[in-house]
Amino acid sequence: MDEKTIQKRLKKTIIFVAGIIIMLLMISDLLITFLKNTMTDAANTQMHYETVEYKNRLFKQIDADFQNLNTLSSFIESSHLTTAHALAPMLQKANTYNAFITMGYFEKNGTGAMAILDEAVRTGVDVSTLDEEVIEVIEKAWSGERSVSKLFESQAISERVFVYGVPICKGDTIVGALVASDHIDIFTDIISGNGVLGGDGYIHMLGSEGKILIRAQQDVIEEQMDTIFDGPYFNPNEVENVKNSLDQQETIFSSFQYQGVTYQFLLEPVGLNGWYLLCVSTTQESSRAVYRVIRVMGMTFAGILGLILFLLFYGYHMIQKSNRDLIYLAYHDQLTGADNLPRFRQNLANALEQGHSCSVAALNVHQFKFINEIFGSEQADRLLCYINQILKSRLLPGEYCCRDTADLFYLYLNETKQETIFTRLREVIEEITRLSGGGHGNYRVLLYCGVAVFSGHSQENYDANSLITHALFALASARGSYSNNIRFYDSQLHRQETQENYIVSHMHQALQSGEFRLYLQPKIDLSTDTLGGAEALVRWITEEGTMLFPDQFIPLFEGNGFCARLDLYMVERACCQIREWIDLGIKPVGISVNQSKLLFFERSYIPSLRALIAKYDIPANLITLEILEGLALKNIEELNAQIKVLQEIGFCVSMDDFGSGYSSLNTLAKLHIDELKLDRGFLLESSSGKSDRSRIIMEQIVQLSKRLGISTVIEGIETSEHDRLSKSLGCDFGQGYYYSRPVSAAEFNLKYMGYDAADPDTD
């Protein structure tokens, strides 16, 4: 073969290899572009989901504030007050019970009243003197539209605020506007923090002109900026086009470079007042290493062709893995590997949209924080991972679960029958309780669960958030007992939850406005069948006229300590009633008042009672203080010392509901009480004829009490047979529906004291 032929073949080979390299470079360039676009789309999708979640939180806050205004507007519309001047006290009072800075009511004639925190309410305020942003909100309310203003500098309080406004109607006619202002800082807790993009991002809140309204704590840009156009987010040539896009409320995806690092960001319109959310991903572009590899491949030739191909495939695999990791981080819990709440909510929403019948269960561990404290966070984390494994192993095809935060798990089940759901969940809980105990010594892990069931044929318009919220309602109800417990959501539970929220939020206001009313139930002297005294009972009659009974609010008051204030209030109502009898020349009867354990040992308890007796100038022996037998389980000496002081003042002390709990004759012998009230359970057992033992015990307790100088009262007398039995046993007093139900003070006075007078609680 001659040289020319060799050179010709070598030339062809070089041209062929060069062509292959050029083709590979072109292919790699196209591949890199494709991978970069894919990665950008994945990051954009993640940022979009994140901003939508935070946007929903903003609107929830706004809806909550509007709900507060709507509640007050309902009160105004249902009241007989029509002028701003007349409504001024209501505004000032309402402004002290909410988070607003100012509240105002303006009639359509252009004048109104305005309440500012820590200042006297202003009346006769002319709308024309207000900020133009406030005027705009008021005018919209006059036209029947509720609205939110932009952020502005308030003349009234010299702070940057925004204003809510709702119309006020009388019948079908709009008569005024109710407005309230608040700081923009109420949204700071919503959009700030370290949870954005799993800790790899942050969110700023912007105005329509690009001004930063709320700045997140985390920020890769060190320089301080007033607007996003003052920093590296946009090139000067792009500013005008971006401003136009902001004016049009368009979504903007882009990226910027700062200190040699590229970051992606999203501008998402909030949909209110031109506000925007700026979401920045602080994760560096993972494909930079791939780009370097590609540049090295472009500088090599045929000798490293195989390496180029290998690196190309390796780079593609790495990008795919990176995308999978990003999606995993966005939708999974990093500790247990379970789905997180956003993924669970998304799957649940899809199932509900398709009309699938299902149930959602929320699962929690009793006293999980103590597991952390006793065994350490590492052991607690192992327990959470173990719970996740058990839940997954018990799921059927098409079902799924997730971990939200701490020890809260959710399950999606295809079941709708409560019996089946209960059985499955009970088996899961028992397995966790049984097997988890092995790693915690003698500590028994207990769980409780709340379940909400959705039928695809239900007429209620359920969505994912509603179903999860109902499951949490049921979970809160199941928390009470320290045992494995499962509770299903129902309308009764929802009414109970709503009622409890009302009770806790209105109890202080109700005490101040006299909504707690004195009711009296007579105690009959069984030897003469005449009135021998009365027991003070409390009823809560709301401003709307609804009556709440003690079993609806007393347990809540005992839990939050409010019962101490209410008990003293009822003692004062009893003193007031006795004073009224004395002033009218009527021989008074003694009144018994229940006293809680929390109040009985307060340092100020006895001085408070002394002050009440002195204030109303009544004999202390007309007041009997009733305590429960549970108070005597511990510290009998301390209890007797307290009783002795009360008796020295003149008060009588009674033990209520004896026999309902831990009754002990030894305790009865040690306590220096004046009166013993036998629980109705004794009477029911004795009168039924089924238990002679109960009758004997009851008779001996009565006789023993007489020998100890203690008078006896039998509760729950509802029939003539009960009355005869109580008398035959030698009881001193009887109380029950056979004689009278608890009645208002006015009805008691008319029926038993012989005069007609207004109920003092209604003054």
Side-chain angles (χ1 to χ4, degrees), residues 105-151:
Y105 172 76
F106 295 92
E107 302 175 52
K108 296 191 74 175
N109 62 11
T111 62
M114 184 163 63
I116 303 175
L117 281 179
D118 303 325
E119 294 184 18
V121 64
R122 302 176 186 177
T123 58
V125 178
D126 196 321
V127 172
S128 62
T129 64
L130 303 177
D131 298 287
E132 61 181 32
E133 290 83 2
V134 181
I135 295 174
E136 182 180 353
V137 169
I138 292 174
E139 289 177 345
K140 287 183 178 179
W142 284 346
S143 64
E145 177 184 354
R146 78 173 192 176
S147 61
V148 182
S149 76
K150 295 183 178 180
L151 186 67

Short mmCIF file of all heavy atoms in Angstrom, two decimals, residues 105-151:
data_model
loop_
_atom_site.label_atom_id
_atom_site.label_comp_id
_atom_site.label_asym_id
_atom_site.label_seq_id
_atom_site.Cartn_x
_atom_site.Cartn_y
_atom_site.Cartn_z
N TYR A 105 -66.70 52.26 62.58
CA TYR A 105 -67.99 52.09 61.93
C TYR A 105 -68.41 53.45 61.36
O TYR A 105 -68.38 54.47 62.06
CB TYR A 105 -69.04 51.60 62.92
CG TYR A 105 -70.44 51.59 62.34
CD1 TYR A 105 -70.83 50.58 61.46
CD2 TYR A 105 -71.37 52.60 62.63
CE1 TYR A 105 -72.09 50.57 60.91
CE2 TYR A 105 -72.64 52.58 62.08
CZ TYR A 105 -73.00 51.59 61.22
OH TYR A 105 -74.24 51.58 60.67
N PHE A 106 -68.77 53.47 60.06
CA PHE A 106 -69.09 54.72 59.38
C PHE A 106 -70.43 54.59 58.67
O PHE A 106 -70.63 53.66 57.87
CB PHE A 106 -67.99 55.08 58.37
CG PHE A 106 -66.67 55.37 59.03
CD1 PHE A 106 -65.73 54.35 59.22
CD2 PHE A 106 -66.37 56.63 59.51
CE1 PHE A 106 -64.54 54.60 59.84
CE2 PHE A 106 -65.17 56.89 60.13
CZ PHE A 106 -64.24 55.88 60.30
N GLU A 107 -71.32 55.51 59.02
CA GLU A 107 -72.63 55.53 58.39
C GLU A 107 -72.52 56.09 56.97
O GLU A 107 -71.52 56.74 56.60
CB GLU A 107 -73.58 56.40 59.22
CG GLU A 107 -73.75 55.93 60.66
CD GLU A 107 -74.61 56.88 61.46
OE1 GLU A 107 -75.73 57.20 60.97
OE2 GLU A 107 -74.17 57.33 62.52
N LYS A 108 -73.54 55.88 56.19
CA LYS A 108 -73.50 56.32 54.79
C LYS A 108 -73.62 57.84 54.67
O LYS A 108 -73.40 58.39 53.59
CB LYS A 108 -74.61 55.64 53.98
CG LYS A 108 -74.43 54.12 53.89
CD LYS A 108 -75.36 53.50 52.88
CE LYS A 108 -74.92 53.79 51.47
NZ LYS A 108 -75.74 53.09 50.46
N ASN A 109 -73.89 58.52 55.79
CA ASN A 109 -73.93 59.99 55.74
C ASN A 109 -72.53 60.59 55.84
O ASN A 109 -72.36 61.81 55.81
CB ASN A 109 -74.81 60.54 56.86
CG ASN A 109 -74.30 60.17 58.25
OD1 ASN A 109 -73.18 59.69 58.41
ND2 ASN A 109 -75.11 60.38 59.27
N GLY A 110 -71.48 59.71 55.99
CA GLY A 110 -70.11 60.20 55.97
C GLY A 110 -69.49 60.39 57.33
O GLY A 110 -68.34 60.84 57.41
N THR A 111 -70.18 60.06 58.40
CA THR A 111 -69.59 60.20 59.74
C THR A 111 -69.58 58.84 60.43
O THR A 111 -70.32 57.93 60.05
CB THR A 111 -70.40 61.20 60.60
OG1 THR A 111 -71.73 60.69 60.75
CG2 THR A 111 -70.42 62.57 59.98
N GLY A 112 -68.71 58.76 61.46
CA GLY A 112 -68.63 57.48 62.14
C GLY A 112 -67.83 57.56 63.41
O GLY A 112 -67.48 58.64 63.89
N ALA A 113 -67.50 56.37 63.96
CA ALA A 113 -66.73 56.26 65.19
C ALA A 113 -65.54 55.35 64.93
O ALA A 113 -65.62 54.43 64.12
CB ALA A 113 -67.60 55.70 66.32
N MET A 114 -64.45 55.61 65.67
CA MET A 114 -63.24 54.83 65.45
C MET A 114 -62.61 54.52 66.80
O MET A 114 -62.42 55.41 67.63
CB MET A 114 -62.25 55.59 64.56
CG MET A 114 -61.00 54.78 64.20
SD MET A 114 -60.11 55.50 62.80
CE MET A 114 -59.65 57.07 63.51
N ALA A 115 -62.30 53.22 67.04
CA ALA A 115 -61.67 52.77 68.28
C ALA A 115 -60.23 52.40 67.99
O ALA A 115 -59.95 51.64 67.07
CB ALA A 115 -62.41 51.57 68.87
N ILE A 116 -59.31 52.96 68.77
CA ILE A 116 -57.88 52.70 68.64
C ILE A 116 -57.41 52.08 69.95
O ILE A 116 -57.78 52.53 71.03
CB ILE A 116 -57.10 53.99 68.33
CG1 ILE A 116 -57.64 54.65 67.05
CG2 ILE A 116 -55.61 53.69 68.18
CD1 ILE A 116 -56.99 55.98 66.74
N LEU A 117 -56.56 51.01 69.84
CA LEU A 117 -56.09 50.34 71.04
C LEU A 117 -55.44 51.33 72.00
O LEU A 117 -54.64 52.19 71.61
CB LEU A 117 -55.06 49.25 70.66
CG LEU A 117 -55.63 47.95 70.14
CD1 LEU A 117 -54.52 46.99 69.78
CD2 LEU A 117 -56.56 47.31 71.15
N ASP A 118 -55.76 51.17 73.29
CA ASP A 118 -55.18 51.98 74.37
C ASP A 118 -55.54 53.46 74.25
O ASP A 118 -54.86 54.33 74.81
CB ASP A 118 -53.65 51.84 74.41
CG ASP A 118 -53.24 50.39 74.59
OD1 ASP A 118 -53.97 49.67 75.30
OD2 ASP A 118 -52.22 49.99 74.02
N GLU A 119 -56.57 53.83 73.48
CA GLU A 119 -57.02 55.20 73.39
C GLU A 119 -58.54 55.24 73.55
O GLU A 119 -59.22 54.23 73.34
CB GLU A 119 -56.62 55.83 72.05
CG GLU A 119 -55.12 55.99 71.85
CD GLU A 119 -54.79 56.70 70.54
OE1 GLU A 119 -55.72 57.35 69.97
OE2 GLU A 119 -53.64 56.61 70.09
N ALA A 120 -59.04 56.41 73.86
CA ALA A 120 -60.50 56.57 73.95
C ALA A 120 -61.10 56.51 72.55
O ALA A 120 -60.49 56.95 71.57
CB ALA A 120 -60.83 57.90 74.61
N VAL A 121 -62.32 55.99 72.46
CA VAL A 121 -62.98 55.87 71.17
C VAL A 121 -63.33 57.27 70.64
O VAL A 121 -63.69 58.17 71.40
CB VAL A 121 -64.24 55.00 71.29
CG1 VAL A 121 -65.26 55.64 72.19
CG2 VAL A 121 -64.84 54.72 69.92
N ARG A 122 -63.13 57.44 69.33
CA ARG A 122 -63.42 58.72 68.70
C ARG A 122 -64.78 58.65 67.99
O ARG A 122 -65.03 57.72 67.23
CB ARG A 122 -62.34 59.07 67.66
CG ARG A 122 -60.93 59.13 68.27
CD ARG A 122 -59.89 59.38 67.18
NE ARG A 122 -58.52 59.30 67.70
CZ ARG A 122 -57.43 59.42 66.94
NH1 ARG A 122 -57.55 59.65 65.64
NH2 ARG A 122 -56.24 59.33 67.48
N THR A 123 -65.60 59.64 68.20
CA THR A 123 -66.90 59.70 67.53
C THR A 123 -66.96 60.95 66.68
O THR A 123 -66.15 61.88 66.82
CB THR A 123 -68.03 59.71 68.57
OG1 THR A 123 -67.86 60.82 69.44
CG2 THR A 123 -68.04 58.43 69.38
N GLY A 124 -67.93 60.98 65.79
CA GLY A 124 -68.11 62.13 64.91
C GLY A 124 -66.97 62.27 63.91
O GLY A 124 -66.65 63.37 63.44
N VAL A 125 -66.32 61.15 63.56
CA VAL A 125 -65.19 61.20 62.61
C VAL A 125 -65.74 61.35 61.19
O VAL A 125 -66.60 60.56 60.77
CB VAL A 125 -64.33 59.92 62.74
CG1 VAL A 125 -63.20 59.96 61.73
CG2 VAL A 125 -63.80 59.77 64.16
N ASP A 126 -65.25 62.31 60.46
CA ASP A 126 -65.67 62.55 59.07
C ASP A 126 -64.85 61.65 58.14
O ASP A 126 -63.60 61.62 58.22
CB ASP A 126 -65.45 64.02 58.70
CG ASP A 126 -66.22 64.38 57.42
OD1 ASP A 126 -66.26 63.54 56.51
OD2 ASP A 126 -66.76 65.50 57.36
N VAL A 127 -65.53 60.91 57.29
CA VAL A 127 -64.85 59.99 56.38
C VAL A 127 -63.83 60.72 55.52
O VAL A 127 -62.74 60.21 55.22
CB VAL A 127 -65.88 59.25 55.49
CG1 VAL A 127 -65.17 58.45 54.41
CG2 VAL A 127 -66.74 58.34 56.34
N SER A 128 -64.14 61.95 55.12
CA SER A 128 -63.25 62.69 54.22
C SER A 128 -61.90 63.00 54.86
O SER A 128 -60.94 63.31 54.16
CB SER A 128 -63.92 64.00 53.78
OG SER A 128 -64.17 64.83 54.91
N THR A 129 -61.81 62.90 56.21
CA THR A 129 -60.54 63.20 56.88
C THR A 129 -59.64 61.96 56.97
O THR A 129 -58.51 62.07 57.45
CB THR A 129 -60.81 63.71 58.30
OG1 THR A 129 -61.46 62.67 59.06
CG2 THR A 129 -61.68 64.95 58.27
N LEU A 130 -60.14 60.83 56.53
CA LEU A 130 -59.37 59.59 56.65
C LEU A 130 -58.41 59.44 55.47
O LEU A 130 -58.49 60.16 54.48
CB LEU A 130 -60.32 58.39 56.70
CG LEU A 130 -61.35 58.41 57.83
CD1 LEU A 130 -62.26 57.19 57.71
CD2 LEU A 130 -60.66 58.42 59.18
N ASP A 131 -57.51 58.46 55.59
CA ASP A 131 -56.60 58.15 54.49
C ASP A 131 -57.41 57.68 53.29
O ASP A 131 -58.45 57.02 53.43
CB ASP A 131 -55.62 57.05 54.91
CG ASP A 131 -54.75 57.49 56.07
OD1 ASP A 131 -53.86 58.32 55.84
OD2 ASP A 131 -54.98 56.99 57.20
N GLU A 132 -56.89 57.98 52.10
CA GLU A 132 -57.66 57.66 50.89
C GLU A 132 -57.84 56.15 50.73
O GLU A 132 -58.84 55.68 50.19
CB GLU A 132 -56.97 58.24 49.65
CG GLU A 132 -55.56 57.71 49.41
CD GLU A 132 -54.93 58.36 48.18
OE1 GLU A 132 -55.22 59.53 47.88
OE2 GLU A 132 -54.15 57.64 47.52
N GLU A 133 -56.86 55.34 51.27
CA GLU A 133 -57.02 53.89 51.20
C GLU A 133 -58.21 53.44 52.06
O GLU A 133 -58.95 52.53 51.68
CB GLU A 133 -55.74 53.19 51.68
CG GLU A 133 -54.55 53.33 50.74
CD GLU A 133 -53.81 54.65 50.94
OE1 GLU A 133 -54.20 55.45 51.83
OE2 GLU A 133 -52.85 54.89 50.20
N VAL A 134 -58.37 54.09 53.21
CA VAL A 134 -59.50 53.74 54.09
C VAL A 134 -60.81 54.17 53.44
O VAL A 134 -61.81 53.44 53.48
CB VAL A 134 -59.33 54.42 55.46
CG1 VAL A 134 -60.49 54.05 56.38
CG2 VAL A 134 -58.00 54.03 56.09
N ILE A 135 -60.81 55.36 52.83
CA ILE A 135 -62.02 55.85 52.17
C ILE A 135 -62.46 54.88 51.07
O ILE A 135 -63.66 54.58 50.92
CB ILE A 135 -61.77 57.26 51.59
CG1 ILE A 135 -61.51 58.25 52.73
CG2 ILE A 135 -62.97 57.71 50.76
CD1 ILE A 135 -61.11 59.63 52.26
N GLU A 136 -61.47 54.37 50.33
CA GLU A 136 -61.80 53.45 49.24
C GLU A 136 -62.46 52.17 49.77
O GLU A 136 -63.44 51.69 49.22
CB GLU A 136 -60.51 53.09 48.47
CG GLU A 136 -60.76 52.17 47.28
CD GLU A 136 -59.47 51.82 46.55
OE1 GLU A 136 -58.42 52.41 46.88
OE2 GLU A 136 -59.54 50.99 45.64
N VAL A 137 -61.92 51.64 50.89
CA VAL A 137 -62.50 50.43 51.49
C VAL A 137 -63.92 50.71 52.00
O VAL A 137 -64.83 49.91 51.84
CB VAL A 137 -61.60 49.93 52.64
CG1 VAL A 137 -62.31 48.84 53.44
CG2 VAL A 137 -60.30 49.39 52.08
N ILE A 138 -64.12 51.89 52.63
CA ILE A 138 -65.44 52.25 53.16
C ILE A 138 -66.45 52.37 52.03
O ILE A 138 -67.59 51.87 52.12
CB ILE A 138 -65.35 53.56 53.96
CG1 ILE A 138 -64.54 53.34 55.24
CG2 ILE A 138 -66.74 54.09 54.31
CD1 ILE A 138 -64.26 54.61 56.01
N GLU A 139 -66.06 53.02 50.94
CA GLU A 139 -66.99 53.20 49.82
C GLU A 139 -67.36 51.86 49.20
O GLU A 139 -68.51 51.65 48.78
CB GLU A 139 -66.35 54.13 48.78
CG GLU A 139 -66.26 55.58 49.27
CD GLU A 139 -65.56 56.49 48.26
OE1 GLU A 139 -64.90 55.95 47.34
OE2 GLU A 139 -65.66 57.72 48.38
N LYS A 140 -66.39 50.94 49.14
CA LYS A 140 -66.71 49.60 48.62
C LYS A 140 -67.70 48.90 49.55
O LYS A 140 -68.61 48.20 49.09
CB LYS A 140 -65.44 48.77 48.48
CG LYS A 140 -64.55 49.20 47.32
CD LYS A 140 -63.33 48.29 47.19
CE LYS A 140 -62.47 48.69 45.99
NZ LYS A 140 -61.27 47.83 45.86
N ALA A 141 -67.51 49.06 50.86
CA ALA A 141 -68.44 48.44 51.81
C ALA A 141 -69.84 49.03 51.68
O ALA A 141 -70.85 48.34 51.77
CB ALA A 141 -67.92 48.60 53.24
N TRP A 142 -69.91 50.36 51.48
CA TRP A 142 -71.22 50.99 51.28
C TRP A 142 -71.93 50.44 50.04
O TRP A 142 -73.15 50.44 49.98
CB TRP A 142 -71.02 52.50 51.14
CG TRP A 142 -70.76 53.18 52.46
CD1 TRP A 142 -70.94 52.68 53.71
CD2 TRP A 142 -70.24 54.51 52.64
NE1 TRP A 142 -70.58 53.59 54.67
CE2 TRP A 142 -70.15 54.75 54.03
CE3 TRP A 142 -69.87 55.53 51.78
CZ2 TRP A 142 -69.69 55.95 54.57
CZ3 TRP A 142 -69.41 56.73 52.31
CH2 TRP A 142 -69.32 56.94 53.69
N SER A 143 -71.13 50.02 49.07
CA SER A 143 -71.73 49.47 47.85
C SER A 143 -71.97 47.96 47.95
O SER A 143 -72.33 47.32 46.98
CB SER A 143 -70.84 49.77 46.64
OG SER A 143 -69.58 49.12 46.78
N GLY A 144 -71.70 47.39 49.16
CA GLY A 144 -72.00 45.98 49.38
C GLY A 144 -70.83 45.05 49.14
O GLY A 144 -71.01 43.83 49.10
N GLU A 145 -69.61 45.57 49.06
CA GLU A 145 -68.44 44.75 48.74
C GLU A 145 -67.49 44.74 49.92
O GLU A 145 -67.17 45.78 50.49
CB GLU A 145 -67.73 45.32 47.50
CG GLU A 145 -66.45 44.57 47.13
CD GLU A 145 -65.73 45.23 45.96
OE1 GLU A 145 -66.28 46.17 45.38
OE2 GLU A 145 -64.62 44.78 45.65
N ARG A 146 -67.03 43.55 50.34
CA ARG A 146 -65.98 43.49 51.34
C ARG A 146 -64.63 43.55 50.63
O ARG A 146 -64.48 43.01 49.53
CB ARG A 146 -66.10 42.23 52.20
CG ARG A 146 -65.59 40.95 51.55
CD ARG A 146 -65.60 39.82 52.56
NE ARG A 146 -64.86 38.67 52.06
CZ ARG A 146 -64.63 37.57 52.74
NH1 ARG A 146 -65.06 37.47 53.97
NH2 ARG A 146 -63.95 36.57 52.23
N SER A 147 -63.62 44.18 51.24
CA SER A 147 -62.36 44.40 50.54
C SER A 147 -61.22 44.57 51.53
O SER A 147 -61.42 44.73 52.74
CB SER A 147 -62.45 45.63 49.64
OG SER A 147 -62.72 46.79 50.41
N VAL A 148 -59.98 44.50 50.99
CA VAL A 148 -58.76 44.70 51.77
C VAL A 148 -57.94 45.77 51.07
O VAL A 148 -57.75 45.72 49.85
CB VAL A 148 -57.93 43.40 51.87
CG1 VAL A 148 -56.69 43.64 52.73
CG2 VAL A 148 -58.77 42.28 52.43
N SER A 149 -57.46 46.76 51.81
CA SER A 149 -56.69 47.84 51.20
C SER A 149 -55.24 47.44 50.99
O SER A 149 -54.78 46.40 51.48
CB SER A 149 -56.73 49.08 52.10
OG SER A 149 -55.87 48.90 53.22
N LYS A 150 -54.51 48.31 50.28
CA LYS A 150 -53.07 48.14 50.17
C LYS A 150 -52.41 48.66 51.43
O LYS A 150 -53.02 49.31 52.26
CB LYS A 150 -52.54 48.90 48.94
CG LYS A 150 -53.05 48.35 47.62
CD LYS A 150 -52.43 49.09 46.44
CE LYS A 150 -52.91 48.50 45.11
NZ LYS A 150 -52.34 49.20 43.95
N LEU A 151 -51.10 48.35 51.56
CA LEU A 151 -50.34 48.83 52.70
C LEU A 151 -50.13 50.34 52.57
O LEU A 151 -49.77 50.82 51.49
CB LEU A 151 -49.00 48.10 52.77
CG LEU A 151 -48.14 48.38 53.97
CD1 LEU A 151 -48.80 47.84 55.23
CD2 LEU A 151 -46.77 47.72 53.79
#
